[in-house]
Amino acid sequence: MVTAPSPRFSAESLFGALRWLAALALLFGLLLLIARLGIERLWFAQFGAEMVVMRRWLLQLLGFAVVMGLGVPLQLQQLNRCWRLRQQAASKDLPQSPLVVLGQRRLLLVLGVLLLLLAAGLTYLMVQARDLIAAPFSGQVITGIPVLADLRPLVVVALAAGLLVPLLLWPLTTLRISLATALAGSATALARGWSLWLPALLAVPFHEADPVTGFDLRFTVLQLPALHLLISVVMAQAVVGLAGCLWLTCTEGTSLSELRFPGLSSLQQRVLQPQLAVLALMAAFSNALSPFDLMVQGSGVASGAGFVDLHVRLPLRLLFSGLLLLTALGLLVPLPKGWLRRGALIPLALTALAVPITEWIVAPLVQRFLVQPRELVLESPYLARSIAATRQAFGLESVQTLTLQPRQNLTAADLAQAPGTLANIRLWDSKPLLEANRQLQQLRLYYRFPSAAVDRYPLGSDPARQGSQMVFIAARELDTGALPKDSRTWLNRHLVFTHGYGFTVSPVNAFGPDGLPLYFVKDLGRSGRVQGIPQLGLPDYTVRQALPVGRPRLYFGSAKAPYVIAPTKVREFDYSEGELNIYSHYGGAGGVAIYGPLERLMAAAYLPEPRLLFTGSLQPNSRLLLRRQVSERLAALAPFLRFESQPYLVTARVPSTPGYDPGQHQYWLLDGFTNSRSYPYSDANPSGIRYLRNPVKAVVDAHSGKVWLYVNDPSDPIQRTWQKAFPELFRPLSAMPKSLLAHIQVPQSQFQVQAERLLRYHVTDVRTFYSGDDVWSMPLEIYGSSNTPVRPYHVTVQLPGESKPEFVLLLPFSPLKRPNMVGWLAVRNDPPNYGQQLLVRFPQQRLLLGPQQISSLIEQDPAISYQFGLWNRAGSSVIHGNLLVLPVGRGLLYVEPIYLQSKNNNLPTLVRVVVTDGTNFVMERNLQDALAKLVSSKNGVVTGRSLTLAGTAGRRQ
């Protein structure tokens, strides 16, 4: 007779199988981790930054090891102590007046609270670890106290419900797993939190003291976030540990069956005291940071700590911190019996009750009845701090202010005074130009033009242009997603279609007889052309000298792109020449070598792509090109910098510079930013940023992917801190090749942030700032067919008082809720004045028309409106271009290009140019005729020289 195996034998077999599966899963995960780290190390090695990534890994490993090394023995030993005391519940000796005696209702309530605290602590640590893994440098992870404030209640309740049964059946095992999970979350959070604690340890001084404590600003900006992270992690971990120990204690013996807990024995009290002391200590430290927290997150009329914050909230928080510290010491240090209760617990309880009452009731009442009746007098010192801190944090202190009284009647003499401005007036915007590029120069479905950038190049010796010509440059990048569906094979996407090819360069101030853009550089391959434009007086040889093309294979670009392997035995597609496809092979030194069996295995696991193990297309010099999007590449190399601006392509010769290939001419330029959310008294922008700098200019070789980081602002303390941590990554700006240095630009994103802050913080007088009667706004304009806020735009202008034209970024301002114009902000891009900001203000008692008013008046002009109506009825739509406001002579010139687009075709053409000085409105086929007509009815004679300086770019042929 055959007997069935015993249940015990089946259970043991099952557990044995599960252990083997867990071991295999762990081994597989370890192999994947090793493969990933190996490829990452090789990727960093191509930049000579192998030690950078090794240092980063060691920092994270150290953080993880410290937390696990301290946390596991401490917390698990504490749990074991509570378990041993639980086992002795039947014989425990209770004092005469035991603490925490719980009846039926109280016991159920306490157990429910402990279950929720255990689930909330676990959830918090897991969420924090997840957020820090995903975005360690975002500054938006949960790091505040209370640590449970931002958790989703449903998640906490669901986890608590899931833990209930295991805690009742297997309490010790369940709590050990919970504590180990919590410790893993804490260790991961602090390991990934190297983004906070490394700059805190290496922080260089700001040489500025905060106005409340006198501490150097490095504490609030760089060290305060790290302290918050540490306190929140320790407190959450302590909550989990204490909740677990109390659960074991409150469910001991017959407590659950009788629903009654007799109280804590003296031995149990001594075991639980260290955990309570840790919680009290962390809460004390958290409240001790109140002066710094309030300077960042104040509640008064000023940004930062106000009168009520410093005179009501702060004293009580500091008193609470002191009492918590005394309580922690009383729990840790043996003291006479009853001292803790009489000397600390009663004042602590009263203060703990007073804190929320003060925060939510007393402080608002003081603000309303004491401060508001004389708010300006009481809050003036704090408003002055906020104004000064905001201007300093966003670099507004260096803005030069100039007051002008422009005329509203331009004359020929005014035009003659601004030849450099008129010779480079932008008639093309990036949006219609990109649309034209896509239809005229995309040439194949798998090419695309993601963006176009305005830049200047030394074309010609025309004294009006001072040798500089503004252009749009757009890279022709590859989009393998646009391949026909049957052609989107792994071979095509990763081995054949590996790179974009070429770029277009268009003058901003010229268009052809058909209204389409003209090109200095266009088309592809042997049919590609680098040509002059006779309308601008620029011959072919001049353009070829200034715009080198070379081999314009763009393996790295601004758009997201998949990994590729090159060179291989498979030929790489270059471009089409009629019916013939031209192929090439990658010749750069970038990428990760993957020919060897070990490297190929690691790459196959990293991607993951098993086909790499079997393909016969690889050869000894084959390299894996990863992170081909420029911003992604830089973010991986220097994650502590934010590369949020749009990269722009530069074509230039870089001779005799170590590290640069003299035969390569295409480079991407990008800006790296540092920022902070904890600069004291600074008013945060809508993104929560309180400090912003642009200290780094990045250069990326479009062919090989090599990266150079140049320090543009060595005075930035945050940048100097990171440079102290990773000195091998950075070079001084003086080391940048001059041909590339000539193309650096102040990033539009930084300029936009500074301009937005300046809307209110151009005011430095406290009384005027408080009254709010000099607040500005971003003006509106009609762009396309709708009202949109004016965006900063690049122009070449002669700034007031200057005789030479400069490449500047400019933005006009309007008063709040009024459409007229009160001034404009310009930032200079050309050395040696790079980064200098000029704020031009207009007298507010004079009415100067703003962009929105000019746009409306253009549409209301009878002749112009009539022509627009004819075009719109003829199956086309009128598109308004960007309205430019330019200083010309002693007045202002408004210029708006008009595009026409067929409803059956998205190809826009430039058909008219509208110019006005605010009094007369002229629309002509080209800029020269429009300017001549604008000033022809006024005093002065328009000479031939003046007309030449006005530009011949738009003349019809």
Side-chain angles (χ1 to χ4, degrees):
M1 181 176 178
V2 179
T3 58
S6 68
R8 176 180 176 82
F9 178 77
S10 299
E12 289 178 353
S13 300
L14 178 61
F15 281 117
L18 290 176
R19 282 195 294 269
W20 275 106
L21 286 175
L24 288 174
L26 182 62
L27 179 62
F28 182 72
L30 186 62
L31 290 175
L32 287 179
L33 178 62
I34 292 172
R36 181 169 187 83
L37 295 180
I39 293 296
E40 287 288 343
R41 183 187 65 81
L42 293 173
W43 188 83
F44 276 86
Q46 68 181 310
F47 309 111
E50 188 175 3
M51 291 308 300
V52 170
V53 72
M54 295 297 288
R55 207 174 306 146
R56 281 161 47 175
W57 291 343
L58 286 174
L59 289 171
Q60 295 179 70
L61 184 62
L62 176 64
F64 192 91
V66 166
V67 174
M68 295 302 287
L70 293 175
V72 169
L74 289 176
Q75 291 227 291
L76 291 184
Q77 283 179 17
Q78 179 73 357
L79 193 68
N80 288 333
R81 292 191 194 100
C82 293
W83 177 256
R84 285 195 297 270
L85 292 177
R86 174 191 170 98
Q87 301 299 100
Q88 304 166 8
S91 59
K92 76 176 182 179
D93 186 20
L94 290 172
Q96 291 184 352
S97 300
L99 292 176
V100 197
V101 178
L102 301 174
Q104 179 178 353
R105 292 182 180 179
R106 290 183 179 181
L107 177 60
L108 291 176
L109 178 63
V110 167
L111 290 179
V113 170
L114 291 176
L115 187 61
L116 288 174
L117 283 176
L118 183 64
L122 276 169
T123 305
Y124 167 75
L125 289 170
M126 293 301 104
V127 168
Q128 188 180 55
R130 181 201 64 189
D131 289 349
L132 279 165
I133 289 172
F137 295 90
S138 69
Q140 295 180 332
V141 295
I142 305 172
T143 56
I145 299 296
V147 296
L148 311 177
D150 295 324
L151 300 185
R152 295 181 181 178
L154 289 178
V155 175
V156 175
V157 171
L159 180 58
L163 287 172
L164 179 59
V165 174
L167 281 172
L168 293 174
L169 297 178
W170 310 287
L172 182 60
T173 301
T174 303
L175 288 173
R176 281 176 174 172
I177 295 173
S178 299
L179 274 179
T181 304
L183 283 167
S186 300
T188 303
L190 285 178
R192 294 293 287 174
W194 72 273
S195 58
L196 297 174
W197 53 261
L198 180 62
L201 293 174
L202 300 179
V204 301
F206 278 60
H207 300 297
E208 300 173 44
D210 74 61
V212 174
T213 67
F215 279 39
D216 189 272
L217 291 186
R218 68 177 169 183
F219 180 84
T220 312
V221 175
L222 293 172
Q223 295 170 333
L224 183 64
L227 287 174
H228 276 310
L229 174 65
L230 178 64
I231 290 171
S232 63
V233 167
V234 173
M235 179 168 268
Q237 186 65 49
V239 166
V240 172
L242 180 62
C245 286
L246 285 175
W247 180 274
L248 289 179
T249 302
C250 292
T251 57
E252 65 183 9
T254 59
S255 296
L256 287 177
S257 59
E258 297 179 1
L259 290 180
R260 181 181 179 278
F261 179 65
L264 296 173
S265 67
S266 300
L267 190 57
Q268 286 175 323
Q269 292 178 39
R270 286 197 297 272
V271 169
L272 293 173
Q273 278 180 3
Q275 290 175 295
L276 292 169
V278 170
L279 283 172
L281 195 62
M282 291 300 103
F285 286 162
S286 179
N287 280 276
L289 296 176
S290 294
F292 309 99
D293 291 334
L294 289 172
M295 281 191 292
V296 177
Q297 299 284 354
S299 59
V301 65
S303 179
F307 181 87
V308 172
D309 294 316
L310 295 183
H311 292 83
V312 179
R313 290 188 172 93
L314 181 59
L316 194 61
R317 289 188 189 181
L318 294 179
L319 174 62
F320 191 37
S321 174
L323 290 173
L324 284 168
L325 183 60
L326 285 176
T327 302
L329 293 175
L331 289 167
L332 294 173
V333 179
L335 294 172
K337 186 175 180 181
W339 180 92
L340 182 64
R341 184 178 299 180
R342 293 192 304 272
L345 287 184
I346 294 176
L348 176 65
L350 293 176
T351 307
L353 182 64
V355 167
I357 294 175
T358 301
E359 293 279 351
W360 299 331
I361 299 175
V362 176
L365 290 176
V366 172
Q367 179 72 32
R368 182 171 182 180
F369 294 107
L370 177 64
V371 176
Q372 285 185 0
R374 47 187 187 139
E375 192 168 52
L376 179 60
V377 175
L378 294 177
E379 298 282 9
S380 285
Y382 314 111
L383 282 170
R385 291 176 184 177
S386 179
I387 294 170
T390 304
R391 290 175 61 86
Q392 177 65 27
F394 289 95
L396 305 182
E397 285 292 340
S398 60
V399 175
Q400 302 174 16
T401 303
L402 177 66
T403 301
L404 294 180
Q405 298 192 13
R407 298 184 311 190
Q408 289 199 278
N409 289 289
L410 285 178
T411 65
D414 292 318
L415 300 186
Q417 292 176 28
T421 298
L422 302 180
N424 257 315
I425 289 181
R426 277 180 56 181
L427 300 180
W428 285 100
D429 302 331
S430 59
K431 189 174 180 179
L433 180 77
L434 276 175
E435 193 58 52
N437 262 15
R438 288 168 185 143
Q439 298 205 36
L440 301 175
Q441 289 294 308
Q442 197 156 294
L443 303 180
R444 292 292 186 274
L445 287 175
Y446 37 77
Y447 288 128
R448 60 175 166 174
F449 289 96
S451 62
V454 180
D455 205 346
R456 69 285 196 198
Y457 281 83
L459 292 167
S461 57
D462 182 356
R465 295 186 178 86
Q466 297 290 331
S468 178
Q469 168 68 47
M470 279 179 60
V471 301
F472 272 110
I473 182 166
R476 188 184 289 105
E477 300 186 43
L478 192 69
D479 180 13
T480 54
L483 289 169
K485 188 174 181 180
D486 294 340
S487 299
R488 293 178 210 161
T489 63
W490 180 81
L491 188 74
N492 276 340
R493 294 183 70 244
H494 301 293
L495 273 69
V496 177
F497 291 92
T498 59
H499 58 276
Y501 196 92
F503 53 93
T504 64
V505 181
S506 311
V508 300
N509 56 341
F511 58 97
D514 49 8
L516 295 174
L518 299 176
Y519 293 95
F520 291 121
V521 180
K522 66 175 184 176
D523 297 337
L524 279 170
R526 288 191 290 267
S527 61
R529 299 184 62 185
V530 181
Q531 60 189 12
I533 297 179
Q535 289 175 248
L536 298 174
L538 297 174
D540 293 353
Y541 71 87
T542 301
V543 174
R544 290 177 185 141
Q545 181 64 29
L547 297 171
V549 174
R551 49 177 193 268
R553 300 183 182 101
L554 309 179
Y555 283 84
F556 300 87
S558 63
K560 204 153 186 72
Y563 73 88
V564 298
I565 303 168
T568 63
K569 296 176 183 177
V570 179
R571 295 181 301 169
E572 301 167 46
F573 177 79
D574 253 3
Y575 55 86
S576 295
E577 192 74 53
E579 298 298 323
L580 181 66
N581 287 340
I582 307 301
Y583 296 90
S584 67
H585 286 286
Y586 177 63
V592 176
I594 58 168
Y595 183 70
L598 179 59
E599 289 81 2
R600 189 185 292 203
L601 180 62
M602 289 193 302
Y606 177 89
L607 290 173
E609 183 48 71
R611 277 174 283 201
L612 276 179
L613 298 174
F614 309 107
T615 181
S617 300
L618 301 189
Q619 53 191 29
N621 59 342
S622 293
R623 308 184 76 83
L624 174 63
L625 305 184
L626 297 168
R627 297 184 177 116
R628 297 199 298 131
Q629 187 180 26
V630 172
S631 56
E632 182 187 12
R633 194 171 189 79
L634 290 167
L637 186 62
F640 42 84
L641 297 174
R642 295 180 64 175
F643 296 94
E644 56 186 20
S645 59
Q646 183 70 30
Y648 58 98
L649 188 70
V650 169
T651 184
R653 291 182 176 86
V654 186
S656 305
T657 304
Y660 285 84
D661 179 2
Q664 162 61 15
H665 305 308
Q666 284 73 50
Y667 300 91
W668 292 99
L669 267 63
L670 193 60
D671 294 277
F673 300 90
T674 56
N675 62 72
S676 172
R677 296 174 180 271
S678 58
Y679 194 95
Y681 276 103
S682 175
D683 186 16
N685 74 349
S687 299
I689 302 300
R690 300 179 186 274
Y691 174 94
L692 182 69
R693 288 291 187 274
N694 168 223
V696 172
K697 298 291 183 183
V699 177
V700 180
D701 189 319
H703 184 259
S704 69
K706 191 170 183 180
V707 174
W708 296 268
L709 298 177
Y710 297 98
V711 179
N712 173 58
D713 181 7
S715 66
D716 176 27
I718 299 180
Q719 166 59 28
R720 285 192 287 125
T721 297
W722 286 113
Q723 195 168 346
K724 188 176 177 181
F726 305 108
E728 57 268 65
L729 284 180
F730 301 98
R731 307 175 185 209
L733 189 64
S734 58
M736 181 185 284
K738 291 183 179 179
S739 56
L740 296 178
L741 187 62
H743 293 278
I744 62 172
Q745 301 179 17
V746 173
Q748 290 195 42
S749 53
Q750 178 195 18
F751 183 76
Q752 182 82 21
V753 169
Q754 290 177 314
E756 187 272 330
R757 293 290 80 197
L758 205 61
L759 297 177
R760 189 172 187 195
Y761 287 92
H762 66 277
V763 177
T764 56
D765 178 73
V766 172
R767 184 175 294 274
T768 306
F769 184 91
Y770 177 79
S771 65
D773 59 358
D774 192 17
V775 179
W776 297 345
S777 66
M778 300 291 186
L780 299 175
E781 66 171 341
I782 297 178
Y783 186 79
S785 58
S786 60
N787 278 325
T788 60
V790 175
R791 301 279 299 172
Y793 48 84
H794 285 102
V795 288
T796 298
V797 297
Q798 292 173 231
L799 294 172
E802 301 290 339
S803 59
K804 295 181 179 180
E806 298 182 51
F807 185 62
V808 305
L809 195 56
L810 190 144
L811 180 67
F813 293 128
S814 293
L816 184 65
K817 296 183 180 179
R818 285 188 290 164
N820 57 296
M821 190 165 58
V822 293
W824 48 259
L825 177 68
V827 60
R828 305 164 89 168
N829 288 272
D830 294 334
N833 301 314
Y834 174 86
Q836 291 182 7
Q837 294 174 295
L838 176 65
L839 176 62
V840 175
R841 304 189 62 170
F842 306 137
Q844 295 198 28
Q845 61 271 20
R846 287 190 56 195
L847 178 63
L848 286 175
L849 298 178
Q852 186 178 14
Q853 291 172 312
I854 293 293
S855 295
S856 299
L857 290 173
I858 288 174
E859 291 205 322
Q860 294 172 18
D861 183 273
I864 297 175
S865 177
Y866 177 75
Q867 183 62 60
F868 286 174
L870 290 178
W871 280 328
N872 283 324
R873 286 196 298 270
S876 300
S877 58
V878 175
I879 300 175
H880 295 260
N882 283 127
L883 180 67
L884 307 180
V885 184
L886 305 171
V888 174
R890 296 179 58 190
L892 294 176
L893 175 67
Y894 304 84
V895 180
E896 183 179 79
I898 303 297
Y899 309 98
L900 197 60
Q901 184 172 289
S902 170
K903 294 179 180 178
N904 299 321
N905 185 358
N906 291 329
L907 181 62
T909 57
L910 204 164
V911 293
R912 294 290 188 273
V913 179
V914 178
V915 298
T916 178
D917 56 7
T919 56
N920 295 328
F921 291 80
V922 175
M923 183 172 74
E924 291 295 330
R925 293 178 180 273
N926 58 69
L927 181 63
Q928 180 193 18
D929 292 346
L931 290 173
K933 188 173 180 180
L934 179 66
V935 299
S936 62
S937 60
K938 301 173 183 174
N939 294 331
V941 179
V942 183
T943 66
R945 175 61 177 164
S946 300
L947 289 180
T948 301
L949 296 179
T952 60
R955 187 182 295 278
R956 296 267 174 173
Q957 295 177 343

